[in-house]
Amino acid sequence: DQQVKQNSPSLSVQEGRISILNCDYTNSMFDYFLWYKKYPAEGPTFLISISSIKDKNEDGRFTVFLNKSAKHLSLHIVPSQPGDSAVYFCAASVGSNFGNEKLTFGTGTRLTIIP
Amino acid sequence: GAGVSQSPRYKVAKRGQDVALRCDPISGHVSLFWYQQALGQGPEFLTYFQNEAQLDKSGLPSDRFFAERPEGSVSTLKIQRTQQEDSAVYLCASSLAASRFFGPGTRLTVL
């Protein structure tokens, strides 16, 4: 039972354009959502997060949108840069982010930025 | 180094062998997690420690998997009688307050 789903295994975007990565979840108990970026042979690194009490969180080129009624979130990267090429994981947890909650991850989307 | 380190980075085991994977968390981090990432999948939760106490081991797939953190710092994930389905990258993460940091993982291949 995949509680967090990333239905696009891969995405290619031209440098300078917007990258939109999507994530859906089924567990209505999830109330904190995170995006991680992963390069080959490295561990995931935290990118941006959002609490269920918000519908948008922005950090520089990265914005995460949350639609609770649709159980859907998306990550927007604009403008996209070659260094953004990586695998992106959506993750969710139950409970506020105190750092001790287990995360449920999606299967990832491989983003390739075309120069 | 300042990050989470894991050793070995790569491990090849014959089916039936026991393996031990080590995680050195960031100094002072109270929380420590182990995740298993199979090929083409996202990381899946295995177990969680708060200091030396193992508070959640609900994700351990079988009794062949055992984790410990005896002094509340370094942690070891042990897999007994490895099977081919145990082949995966094993990730360790540590956190202090809301900031989680993952190590680079140990890639385990069981032949």
Side-chain angles (χ1 to χ4, degrees):
Chain A
D1 176 28
Q2 194 74 25
Q3 298 186 63
V4 177
K5 301 176 186 178
Q6 294 177 257
N7 292 319
S8 298
S10 63
L11 176 68
S12 294
V13 174
Q14 205 78 31
E15 181 179 357
R17 307 294 285 267
I18 183 171
S19 295
I20 300 176
L21 294 92
N22 293 303
C23 177
D24 297 290
Y25 61 96
T26 57
N27 187 343
S28 57
M29 298 296 291
F30 288 145
D31 54 8
Y32 199 81
F33 304 89
L34 309 90
W35 283 94
Y36 281 84
K37 176 179 181 180
K38 187 181 184 304
Y39 292 121
E42 296 183 12
T45 55
F46 171 75
L47 202 53
I48 192 169
S49 62
I50 188 166
S51 164
S52 60
I53 62 173
K54 295 186 173 183
D55 54 18
K56 177 183 174 181
N57 188 28
E58 190 172 353
D59 183 2
R61 297 185 299 114
F62 304 92
T63 303
V64 55
F65 296 91
L66 175 62
N67 181 334
K68 279 182 295 183
S69 60
K71 293 191 178 68
H72 176 83
L73 63 155
S74 60
L75 173 67
H76 292 210
I77 306 172
V78 56
S80 300
Q81 298 175 353
D84 296 331
S85 294
V87 177
Y88 289 78
F89 289 99
C90 172
S93 68
V94 175
S96 298
N97 187 37
F98 295 113
N100 57 1
E101 303 81 13
K102 67 182 181 185
L103 299 178
T104 300
F105 284 85
T107 52
T109 296
R110 181 179 300 278
L111 175 65
T112 302
I113 305 302
I114 304 164
Chain B
V4 178
S5 60
Q6 293 186 243
S7 61
R9 292 294 312 276
Y10 303 90
K11 176 70 179 177
V12 178
K14 290 184 179 177
R15 189 164 57 93
Q17 279 186 331
D18 298 348
V19 299
L21 313 180
R22 177 186 169 109
C23 172
D24 285 80
I26 295 172
S27 177
H29 278 198
V30 169
S31 297
L32 185 145
F33 301 82
W34 284 98
Y35 287 83
Q36 179 191 58
Q37 185 178 11
L39 189 64
Q41 302 297 312
E44 290 195 5
F45 170 79
L46 292 177
T47 188
Y48 161 64
F49 289 86
Q50 187 175 90
N51 294 308
E52 69 278 3
Q54 190 175 19
L55 299 185
D56 187 345
K57 53 182 181 179
S58 62
L60 296 177
S62 77
D63 58 8
R64 296 186 296 104
F65 287 70
F66 172 76
E68 60 183 6
R69 194 186 184 197
E71 296 178 0
S73 178
V74 171
S75 177
T76 304
L77 176 67
K78 297 178 179 177
I79 309 173
Q80 297 177 323
R81 304 180 305 281
T82 52
Q83 304 294 315
Q84 283 189 319
E85 62 262 28
D86 300 335
S87 295
V89 174
Y90 290 85
L91 294 164
C92 174
S94 70
S95 70
L96 181 66
S99 298
R100 283 184 193 82
F101 298 88
F102 280 84
T106 294
R107 180 177 295 279
L108 172 66
T109 303
V110 182
L111 303 176

